[in-house]
Structures are given as C-alpha cells and as structure tokens.
Amino acid sequence: MIEKEYFNVADIFGENVFNDAVMQERLPKKTYQKLKETIREGKDLDLETADVVAHEMKEWAIEKGATHYTHWFQPLTGVTAEKHDSFITAPRPSGNVLMSFSGKELIKGEPDASSFPSGGLRATFEARGYTTWDCTSPAFVRHDETGAVLCIPTAFCSYKGEALDQKTPLLRSMEAINNQALRLLRLFGNTTSHHVRPSVGVEQEYFIIDREDFLKRKDLMYTGRTLFGAMPPKGQEMDDHYFGTIPARIGALMRDVDKELWKLGVPAKTEHNEVAPGQHELAPIYEEANIAVDHNQLMMETLRRVANRHGLQCLLHEKPFAGVNGSGKHNNWSLVTDDGINMLDPGKTPHENLQFLLVLTCILAAVDDHADLLRESAADVGNDHRLGGAEAPPAIVSVYLGEQLDDVLTQLINTGAATHSISGQKMRTGVSSLPDFMKDATDRNRTSPFAFTGNKFEFRMVGSEDSVGEPNIVLNTIVAEAFSNACDVLEQADNFNVAIHDYIKKLATAHQRIVFNGDGYSEEWVKEAERRGLKNIASMVDAIPALTTEKTIETFEKFHVFNRTELESRSDIEYDTYAKKMNIEAKTMMDMAEKQIIPAVIKYETKLADSINSVKSAVGMVPKTQESLLHKTEDLLNATNEALDQLVQAVLKGMSLSDHKERANYYYEVVSPAMEALRKPVDELEMVVDKELWPMPSYGDMLFEV
Ligand code: ADP
Ligand code: MG
C-alpha cells in the first residue's frame, strides 16, 4: 500500500528511537545522569542502573507495539543479525503472563554464535559469543512484516573477548583517534575540547528494478547481479538519467523510505537519480561514526524492505549490470570536537593554519603508508567488478587536494613555509538577474578515490553493499598513528614553532607522491602511479594480504584495535567469503545455462528448422537468411556448451580445494575467466534468439521500464 497523506517531518522524526529526549523524560534523574556518563565518558554501567533503563525501555517499546526485543549486531557476513526474544515471562498459576526485560538482558546477550564467520577464532564446539549493548548508539523500535521489535545496537565478541563483528573494532578505533587527536589539539594550546569523534556521512547508491523482473532472474535472486545479459541499444551515453526527473514509482518509494528512516532517526537528506539508468542515490546528514555505520545498515535494510512493498526490487550490488555504471558509497569523514571544532576545516587562509596543515599532512602520511590497507577495506567480491574498471574510482589509492591546498603544500615543500592561499573568486554568471557569488577556491574531482572536499575527506572506493565499518576502522586507526607519531616528536620540541614547520615540511615532502589532482581514469595515471611506486591492486584476493603484513599488525596492535589473531581470522574469513560467493555465482551460471538458456536456444533452432522445412516444401528452395541464422545459432550453442563444460570442470576442482586462500585464488584465476568465457557466447545468443523465447527479462526491460 502506497501512502498518500502528507505529514510534518519534525513530528515523526525519531519517533521510534529511545533517544535523549525520551530518556530525559522517562528515566529518573539519577539513572539518566549515570547513563549519560557511560555514553559520554565510557564509564561502566552498574546493574542497578541498567535494570531501571531496561524497564523504562521496555515500557516505551510496548507502547510502540513491540512484542519482542533483539540484540542487533553486525557479524562479518556483511549484513546485520538478530535473534528475537519476546518480553513474556513464564505464565503464572492464574494463566497470565507478565512482560519483563532486565538490565542483564539489556547489557548482554548470548546468541549461539557458531554459525557466524569467525575465521577459526572459535571452534564450532565453543559456541559462545556475546553481544554487549553499545549505549552510544540509541535503541529503536522497528515496525515491519514481523511486527514491532525493540532493537538494541550491540557489539559481538567471542568468549575470549575477540571481536567477531564490525562494531567492536570500530569503537576501539574511535577511542584511538580520540586519544591521539586530543594530544594533537593540546599541542596547540586547546584545553577546552574533551572529545574528538570522527563524523561520517555515507552516500548510498542503488538500483531499482521491477520485482517481477527480478523474480524471473535466478542470477539476481541468488547473487545480486546479472551473470548474463546483452547491452540494450541505449545505455547511459546520453547522460539523461543523471539528476533527471524522478519517475513516479521511484518517487513514491523514496518518500516511503524517507518516512521510515526519519521515524528511526536516520537523517535522510538528499536523493537523486544517478548516472546509470535505474540507478539512484540517498545520502543522510553526517553523524558520529558508529551511529553512521548503524544507520547505513538501517538504510540498506529499509531500501530493500520498502522496495518490495512497492513491487520493486532494490539492488545494492556493486555491479548488477555489466557495461553499466556500478554502485558505490562515498564515505565522507572528518574529525569534530565536542565543542564543535572540525579539525579538517582549513579556514579562509589555510597557509596560516598550522594545526590544519599538521592534520592534513598527517592524513597524507597515513594514507600513503597504509594505502594497501585502505584499498583492502573497500574490497568485496562485488567491488572487484567496479574498482579499476573504467569508472569511479580507480584501484590506485591517491589523494586529491585541489588547487588551493596543493599550492600551499608546494610552497611548504619548496620554501619550508607557506605565505599565501589562492582564494575563491567571484563567479560571474553574465546574467544580470542571477546573483554573482563567491565560488569555492577549489573545484571538484570526481575521479579521485580519496578527495578533500572542503572540510572533510571523501573515500569513494567503498562498495555499495559493503559495511562502512571497515573503512572507518582503518581511517581512524591509521590517522591516530600519524597523529601519535607527530605528537611524539612535537611534545618534546624545545622550539615548537620551528619544530612544527619542520615536521609539516618533512611529511609533505615525504608523502607528496600520494597527491594526484589529475584524471584518475586515464592510462597516463596508471603509468605515472607505477613510476611513483604507488600500488595498483586489481582484485580482492590481491588486496587481502594487506590485512596481515607486519606493518598492519603493528599499527592495529599499538592502538588496541585488532590483535594478530583477529587480523588473521579476518583475512581467513575474506578468502573464504570470496571463494564461497564465486562458487555460488558459477553454479548459478551453470544452472541457468543448462536449464534455461540451452533449452530456449534449442527451441529457437527447432522453430528455424521448421520454418526452413516449410519454405523448402512450399517453394522448393532453402531460405538463405533462416539457414545462416540457424548456422550462427548452432555455432554459438556449441561454444556455449563447451564453455559450460569447462566451467563445470573448474568448479569441481575449486570445490575440492580446502585451504581458503588457495581456493580463493583459484576461483579468481581459473573460475572467474571460465565464467566470462561462458557469458560471451550466451550474450551473443541473446542478440540472435527470438525475444519471445529468451527465458528471462533483458537489460532493456529491467533498466528502462520502471
Ligand atoms: P558533496 O557534494 O561533497 O558530496 P554533500 O554536502 O552532499 O557534499 O555531502 C555529502 C555527504 O557528506 C553527506 O552525507 C553529508 O552529510 C556529509 N558531510 C558533510 N560534511 C561533513 C563532515 N564535516 N564530515 C563528515 N561528513 C560530512
Ligand atoms: Mg559526494
């Protein structure tokens, strides 16, 4: 049912969130204050306080219609997980039940965790995994087809305290960046800021197609992307979709998605059509990193769920359609103090802003030193089809600074001091009725994987379906390390003024190679990057080793974000996931080829042969066109059959390999090319065979008919 009535956003925003306002209103003053201390300062929460909070939370949730609660967490499957428990207690002798929810149940859950990926951290017989309440991200009531559920954001750890999720290391990395950023601020005499937190805003891209089409394509259903499909006559070459008028069905969907998100306190803000037909984007207003990561998950879940209600299907895969632009998500990141200072704000005259220049050059150093790790943080199976392809962004990590900052940096490197900043100029439109305005000092560069955009960095490599947990864990930790290195030197300096100039110059010079302001899609850049010694990591399997280099382990251990065992387990999970997903894709292809495509082609051949025979018996000669079509079809069918055999052999071998890393590499090197080889003749067949007989909707049907 599509809602039509109008509503006031301010009235519904956050109505299903146990937020600060609700807590203030409902909790006894003492309890509220204790909880706030825990949220703000990470103080331990005592059970007595937790009991009171849990009780009030339950009462509130029941008023919203909730029957169950769940610890909502993010295991390493890429999606969120939950196990629902109802609030009821054992029936009393009278036959009635009470609704209860204790502090203990709020704080700690114990899902049987043996079926979640742990990369060997936990043997299956050691099933214990714990979820613990992350009180810095508010609880909420979610209404959907299963009813209303109180969702409690939690972290997920093993019996020994090892992280089995995205949340735990993210919170650890936020502590690391907080400590080091405060140290840095103190160097400049700031004694008033008490916290520094990463702010994150995630722009989410997605495709929408008709759900009926989706249900007719096994590849989309099982793998999220099309494994076959010829390009339609019209693609995205006209650029007429980008920022185009939003079609009615999509408009109704977006409206409904926004409404649901607003109720959950997700500040959905901007939506527009994207570059490819059928592609759209939704961006929220930025929030603290852990909340932004949770909210991005909610956004993906909501898009999927609401789309189905509208008879539509949301495709979050990075590359649902070969040959058409893929989807990513831009991770906008900055560092903001509790008193509102954005440490990435250069001010009007960045050359005079030493604190900013130190922050900036530290970030350059971090990105240059750990480029492989950043690349890894954006690696997922789907993203392999996007990164390094002729679209946003390239697989080489580099930083775009823009004209103004690049100029300041060059001055620093050349003379050791920067004396001026290029400033924005007046934009003259040449039309007297349009106001002139000051343009930004710096233009945008859409081809850079890591771009400075005014007062934040935008990391654009992340895949549309991936959690933004990992990229932010990496960013927080590597920047914390660079800050820590800087503070180690500068805290000891006799002459701070001299030392800081020297240090900034040293970093700028040493890491200049990571800065690139040109066209990231060009061939020249690939060569230039190689000359500079920057890595070009083309695939997920080549990216994973960055997780377990000695350098990586040292950095993460130093800041207590991951230990060696946790990193090794994550690396193992990634190899395993890669091979498993590729295996599903290959088997889906085999299934479609055998059961749908080959039979359809045979039908077409029979139709052609019948037609040839009837023409022959009617006029006594063989119709040339039909005959050549039949030959062409038969050749392609043979090629398909051969490629299918090869793929079957490759998969059999792949499935026999037990080592995860070896298996992943085999799927990348052997199975993936075999899949490509099968796709080729099939896509050609699609162009030849009668559309009536083709067993699934075409790209054109899916992309242009919503
Ligand atoms: P752009 O045009 O640069 O993509 P937008 O203003 O549309 O910028 O913002 C894109 C995303 O970046 C939004 O989610 C926005 O909330 C977020 N964002 C804006 N400022 C910051 C900041 N200081 N830190 C983190 N994210 C930010
Ligand atoms: Mg952007």
Side-chain angles (χ1 to χ4, degrees):
M1 233 268 299
I2 296 172
E3 281 223 16
K4 290 263 162 43
E5 102 274 16
Y6 293 91
F7 56 87
N8 181 339
V9 183
D11 291 343
I12 62 165
F13 190 84
E15 74 174 25
N16 293 333
V17 185
F18 196 73
N19 56 22
D20 195 63
V22 178
M23 289 195 277
Q24 276 202 54
E25 188 193 310
R26 295 210 166 224
L27 297 177
K29 226 186 177 115
K30 205 178 103 206
T31 313
Y32 172 77
Q33 259 149 14
K34 277 207 168 148
L35 183 58
K36 281 306 268 189
E37 278 170 20
T38 307
I39 294 173
R40 242 184 285 126
E41 287 145 47
K43 288 200 181 144
D44 280 345
L45 196 64
D46 59 275
L47 205 55
E48 194 190 330
T49 309
D51 273 331
V52 180
V53 178
H55 174 79
E56 286 305 326
M57 205 186 258
K58 176 204 71 186
E59 293 295 306
W60 169 84
I62 289 173
E63 282 168 30
K64 302 269 166 206
T67 52
H68 291 69
Y69 72 91
T70 181
H71 277 197
W72 186 77
F73 60 105
Q74 302 175 31
L76 299 170
T77 52
V79 290
T80 56
E82 46 196 73
K83 181 184 89 174
H84 297 183
D85 280 298
S86 74
F87 290 119
I88 62 167
T89 52
R92 295 190 296 176
S94 60
N96 295 338
V97 290
L98 288 177
M99 304 290 257
S100 100
F101 184 47
S102 69
K104 222 168 122 193
E105 287 168 311
L106 166 64
I107 289 180
K108 191 183 98 184
E110 200 190 321
D112 172 357
S114 53
S115 312
F116 292 108
S118 77
L121 271 188
R122 201 169 15 76
T124 0
F125 60 88
E126 298 171 314
R128 269 177 208 272
Y130 292 108
T131 50
T132 34
W133 182 30
D134 167 21
C135 61
T136 60
S137 181
F140 55 92
V141 169
R142 192 188 56 205
H143 296 88
D144 63 19
E145 288 64 23
T146 63
V149 182
L150 169 65
C151 299
I152 299 150
T154 52
F156 181 40
C157 292
S158 77
Y159 187 67
K160 290 186 194 141
E162 283 142 345
L164 297 172
D165 69 345
Q166 302 283 5
K167 179 61 85 60
T168 310
L170 178 67
L171 293 174
R172 292 176 185 159
S173 75
M174 287 172 69
E175 262 182 61
I177 191 82
N178 176 47
N179 293 335
Q180 301 309 322
L182 281 177
R183 262 179 92 189
L184 190 143
L185 287 173
R186 302 287 181 255
L187 283 177
F188 292 89
N190 175 328
T191 52
T192 44
S193 303
H194 297 296
H195 290 289
V196 180
R197 300 221 166 90
S199 284
V200 170
V202 188
E203 302 163 71
Q204 175 74 47
E205 292 180 341
Y206 59 95
F207 279 85
I208 295 290
I209 62 169
D210 197 296
R211 183 148 165 88
E212 281 187 24
D213 284 342
F214 170 81
L215 293 173
K216 289 184 194 136
R217 296 216 44 143
K218 288 191 191 173
D219 46 7
L220 286 178
M221 284 173 63
Y222 296 146
T223 74
R225 74 174 180 114
T226 54
L227 299 168
F228 299 106
M231 280 301 287
K234 182 185 171 185
Q236 65 197 45
E237 59 275 64
M238 302 298 290
D239 285 333
D240 51 357
H241 183 72
Y242 192 52
F243 280 27
T245 319
I246 297 174
R249 278 185 85 186
I250 305 289
L253 165 68
M254 286 177 169
R255 179 189 150 85
D256 225 8
V257 167
D258 277 346
K259 189 173 173 190
E260 297 242 334
L261 289 174
W262 288 332
K263 286 186 187 171
L264 292 171
V266 180
K269 171 85 175 167
T270 312
E271 53 213 345
H272 59 78
N273 287 357
E274 258 302 325
V275 179
Q279 194 185 29
H280 309 275
E281 180 184 295
L282 178 56
I285 296 170
Y286 64 93
E287 303 172 278
E288 279 177 23
N290 63 322
I291 297 176
V293 170
D294 284 357
H295 281 176
N296 180 249
Q297 292 288 350
L298 277 181
M299 198 177 230
M300 293 195 284
E301 286 176 18
T302 306
L303 275 166
R304 282 200 178 105
R305 201 179 58 243
V306 178
N308 290 358
R309 228 163 49 205
H310 285 245
L312 297 165
Q313 184 70 37
C314 175
L315 303 176
L316 289 166
H317 193 282
E318 285 77 12
K319 196 77 176 177
F321 305 99
V324 175
N325 248 35
S327 303
K329 58 185 139 206
H330 294 175
N331 188 82
N332 293 272
W333 180 92
S334 66
L335 291 172
V336 182
T337 66
D338 55 333
D339 47 355
I341 304 165
N342 178 356
M343 294 174 71
L344 271 73
D345 188 351
K348 286 212 161 49
T349 49
H351 68 281
E352 294 172 335
N353 188 343
L354 282 180
Q355 181 182 306
F356 170 75
L357 289 175
L358 180 61
V359 169
L360 181 75
T361 46
C362 281
I363 293 174
L364 290 182
V367 174
D368 189 21
D369 284 340
H370 295 286
D372 56 345
L373 196 54
L374 263 180
R375 165 70 182 84
E376 202 291 323
S377 77
D380 77 5
V381 187
N383 225 7
D384 266 14
H385 301 283
R386 182 172 160 261
L387 296 180
E391 63 171 291
I396 306 163
V397 174
S398 67
V399 181
Y400 173 80
L401 288 181
E403 210 184 335
Q404 186 189 45
L405 290 185
D406 194 49
D407 175 66
V408 170
L409 211 67
T410 310
Q411 293 177 51
L412 276 169
I413 293 168
N414 292 344
T415 66
T419 55
H420 59 274
S421 299
I422 300 172
S423 60
Q425 282 165 6
K426 213 165 203 180
M427 174 88 171
R428 299 194 194 280
T429 56
V431 178
S432 54
S433 57
L434 290 178
D436 289 339
F437 57 88
M438 294 302 285
K439 41 177 196 183
D440 294 316
T442 293
D443 195 8
R444 291 297 180 95
N445 178 326
R446 293 265 162 222
T447 67
S448 176
F450 199 85
F452 187 74
T453 45
N455 61 3
K456 63 189 193 296
F457 272 102
E458 189 169 333
F459 183 42
R460 299 183 177 138
M461 276 185 164
V462 190
S464 49
E465 201 163 19
D466 213 359
S467 160
V468 281
E470 220 188 308
N472 287 299
I473 295 165
V474 170
L475 266 173
N476 296 341
T477 311
I478 64 178
V479 173
E481 180 188 53
F483 284 178
S484 159
N485 291 342
C487 294
D488 287 349
V489 173
L490 297 173
E491 281 166 355
Q492 305 303 322
D494 296 329
N495 185 333
F496 180 71
N497 224 352
V498 172
I500 181 135
H501 278 95
D502 285 351
Y503 196 80
I504 292 173
K505 182 182 172 186
K506 190 182 112 192
L507 287 189
T509 312
H511 299 287
Q512 200 183 8
R513 66 170 191 165
I514 198 76
V515 178
F516 178 64
N517 291 306
D519 178 4
Y521 299 166
S522 67
E523 252 323 292
E524 294 83 75
W525 170 231
V526 176
K527 290 193 198 113
E528 165 69 10
E530 196 182 340
R531 202 184 53 72
R532 294 189 191 184
L534 301 179
K535 285 197 182 130
N536 187 356
I537 301 172
S539 69
M540 176 164 170
V541 291
D542 292 332
I544 299 172
L547 274 177
T548 47
T549 61
E550 286 307 312
K551 188 165 152 186
T552 297
I553 294 170
E554 196 184 313
T555 301
F556 278 130
E557 286 198 332
K558 179 168 178 195
F559 295 96
H560 310 289
V561 174
F562 287 122
N563 60 31
R564 181 183 293 267
T565 323
E566 287 170 322
L567 287 165
E568 281 166 357
S569 93
R570 263 157 218 258
S571 144
D572 187 61
I573 291 170
E574 299 219 351
Y575 284 125
D576 189 28
T577 306
Y578 182 86
K580 279 185 177 143
K581 286 200 174 173
M582 291 296 287
N583 190 48
I584 294 171
E585 289 195 354
K587 281 169 43 188
T588 305
M589 271 192 120
M590 281 149 44
D591 186 85
M592 290 169 78
E594 270 162 18
K595 300 209 182 98
Q596 294 184 285
I597 293 161
I598 293 178
V601 177
I602 292 175
K603 259 192 214 154
Y604 179 59
E605 286 191 334
T606 313
K607 194 172 158 186
L608 277 174
D610 287 351
S611 149
I612 292 170
N613 284 337
S614 51
V615 172
K616 213 161 93 185
S617 57
V619 295
M621 57 182 269
V622 174
K624 286 249 162 51
T625 310
Q626 274 115 306
E627 198 190 37
S628 83
L629 257 179
L630 184 56
H631 280 297
K632 187 173 176 185
T633 309
E634 179 59 13
D635 286 347
L636 286 168
L637 183 60
N638 286 335
T640 302
N641 206 33
E642 268 168 42
L644 177 60
D645 280 347
Q646 301 271 327
L647 183 59
V648 171
Q649 294 311 318
V651 168
L652 275 178
K653 166 105 196 277
M655 283 164 72
S656 74
L657 301 170
S658 56
D659 179 71
H660 291 163
K661 181 174 179 180
E662 190 190 351
R663 213 167 140 222
N665 276 295
Y666 180 83
Y667 272 88
Y668 177 63
E669 280 154 23
V670 181
V671 178
S672 175
M675 289 166 63
E676 281 304 304
L678 173 58
R679 177 172 186 145
K680 200 165 168 284
V682 171
D683 286 359
E684 283 180 52
L685 278 167
E686 189 182 345
M687 305 294 282
V688 174
V689 172
D690 190 343
K691 180 158 171 58
E692 302 271 289
L693 295 176
W694 197 251
M696 61 198 84
S698 69
Y699 273 25
D701 299 336
M702 289 184 282
L703 290 171
F704 290 100
E705 288 178 13
V706 170

mmCIF file of all heavy atoms in Angstrom, residues 203 281 330 332 444 446 456 458 460, ligand 2:
data_model
loop_
_atom_site.group_PDB
_atom_site.id
_atom_site.type_symbol
_atom_site.label_atom_id
_atom_site.label_comp_id
_atom_site.label_asym_id
_atom_site.label_seq_id
_atom_site.Cartn_x
_atom_site.Cartn_y
_atom_site.Cartn_z
ATOM 1 N N GLU A 203 27.090 8.378 1.415
ATOM 2 C CA GLU A 203 26.201 8.487 0.256
ATOM 3 C C GLU A 203 26.010 7.098 -0.343
ATOM 4 O O GLU A 203 26.970 6.455 -0.728
ATOM 5 C CB GLU A 203 26.799 9.427 -0.781
ATOM 6 C CG GLU A 203 27.060 10.829 -0.246
ATOM 7 C CD GLU A 203 28.017 11.607 -1.136
ATOM 8 O OE1 GLU A 203 27.617 11.989 -2.242
ATOM 9 O OE2 GLU A 203 29.172 11.805 -0.727
ATOM 10 N N GLU A 281 20.562 7.574 -5.710
ATOM 11 C CA GLU A 281 21.431 7.772 -4.541
ATOM 12 C C GLU A 281 20.642 8.367 -3.388
ATOM 13 O O GLU A 281 19.744 9.168 -3.587
ATOM 14 C CB GLU A 281 22.584 8.716 -4.905
ATOM 15 C CG GLU A 281 23.517 8.948 -3.732
ATOM 16 C CD GLU A 281 24.622 9.967 -4.022
ATOM 17 O OE1 GLU A 281 25.473 9.689 -4.880
ATOM 18 O OE2 GLU A 281 24.603 11.040 -3.386
ATOM 19 N N HIS A 330 30.070 6.687 -0.970
ATOM 20 C CA HIS A 330 31.126 7.627 -0.609
ATOM 21 C C HIS A 330 31.117 7.797 0.902
ATOM 22 O O HIS A 330 30.095 8.146 1.479
ATOM 23 C CB HIS A 330 30.900 8.973 -1.290
ATOM 24 C CG HIS A 330 31.036 8.897 -2.783
ATOM 25 N ND1 HIS A 330 30.781 9.964 -3.601
ATOM 26 C CD2 HIS A 330 31.416 7.881 -3.587
ATOM 27 C CE1 HIS A 330 30.989 9.608 -4.862
ATOM 28 N NE2 HIS A 330 31.368 8.340 -4.881
ATOM 29 N N ASN A 332 32.201 9.953 3.640
ATOM 30 C CA ASN A 332 32.704 11.290 3.995
ATOM 31 C C ASN A 332 33.130 11.271 5.448
ATOM 32 O O ASN A 332 32.366 10.855 6.314
ATOM 33 C CB ASN A 332 31.604 12.336 3.788
ATOM 34 C CG ASN A 332 31.255 12.505 2.320
ATOM 35 O OD1 ASN A 332 31.859 13.288 1.615
ATOM 36 N ND2 ASN A 332 30.274 11.734 1.851
ATOM 37 N N ARG A 444 35.920 20.422 -7.975
ATOM 38 C CA ARG A 444 35.784 19.030 -7.568
ATOM 39 C C ARG A 444 36.555 18.128 -8.524
ATOM 40 O O ARG A 444 36.766 18.473 -9.666
ATOM 41 C CB ARG A 444 34.310 18.608 -7.621
ATOM 42 C CG ARG A 444 33.459 19.255 -6.574
ATOM 43 C CD ARG A 444 33.955 18.822 -5.213
ATOM 44 N NE ARG A 444 33.150 19.431 -4.151
ATOM 45 C CZ ARG A 444 32.119 18.829 -3.595
ATOM 46 N NH1 ARG A 444 31.755 17.649 -3.986
ATOM 47 N NH2 ARG A 444 31.454 19.411 -2.641
ATOM 48 N N ARG A 446 36.006 14.194 -9.625
ATOM 49 C CA ARG A 446 35.138 13.033 -9.402
ATOM 50 C C ARG A 446 35.897 11.708 -9.583
ATOM 51 O O ARG A 446 35.348 10.645 -9.362
ATOM 52 C CB ARG A 446 33.958 13.067 -10.380
ATOM 53 C CG ARG A 446 33.027 14.229 -10.103
ATOM 54 C CD ARG A 446 31.873 13.783 -9.214
ATOM 55 N NE ARG A 446 31.237 14.941 -8.598
ATOM 56 C CZ ARG A 446 30.855 14.982 -7.332
ATOM 57 N NH1 ARG A 446 31.059 13.969 -6.550
ATOM 58 N NH2 ARG A 446 30.263 16.050 -6.844
ATOM 59 N N LYS A 456 36.285 17.964 4.748
ATOM 60 C CA LYS A 456 36.189 16.515 5.008
ATOM 61 C C LYS A 456 36.907 15.787 3.896
ATOM 62 O O LYS A 456 37.150 16.369 2.835
ATOM 63 C CB LYS A 456 34.716 16.099 5.020
ATOM 64 C CG LYS A 456 34.008 16.314 3.670
ATOM 65 C CD LYS A 456 32.512 16.102 3.783
ATOM 66 C CE LYS A 456 31.749 15.976 2.490
ATOM 67 N NZ LYS A 456 31.673 17.065 1.570
ATOM 68 N N GLU A 458 36.604 12.489 1.364
ATOM 69 C CA GLU A 458 35.583 11.607 0.821
ATOM 70 C C GLU A 458 36.284 10.381 0.258
ATOM 71 O O GLU A 458 37.002 10.473 -0.729
ATOM 72 C CB GLU A 458 34.837 12.383 -0.272
ATOM 73 C CG GLU A 458 33.626 11.690 -0.791
ATOM 74 C CD GLU A 458 32.779 12.625 -1.682
ATOM 75 O OE1 GLU A 458 32.826 13.859 -1.489
ATOM 76 O OE2 GLU A 458 32.100 12.111 -2.564
ATOM 77 N N ARG A 460 36.010 7.184 -1.716
ATOM 78 C CA ARG A 460 34.984 6.790 -2.692
ATOM 79 C C ARG A 460 35.105 5.360 -3.186
ATOM 80 O O ARG A 460 34.433 4.966 -4.118
ATOM 81 C CB ARG A 460 35.065 7.713 -3.903
ATOM 82 C CG ARG A 460 34.828 9.163 -3.577
ATOM 83 C CD ARG A 460 34.869 9.963 -4.853
ATOM 84 N NE ARG A 460 34.569 11.357 -4.626
ATOM 85 C CZ ARG A 460 35.219 12.352 -5.195
ATOM 86 N NH1 ARG A 460 36.215 12.097 -6.030
ATOM 87 N NH2 ARG A 460 34.883 13.590 -4.953
HETATM 88 MG MG MG B 2 29.864 13.228 -2.587
#
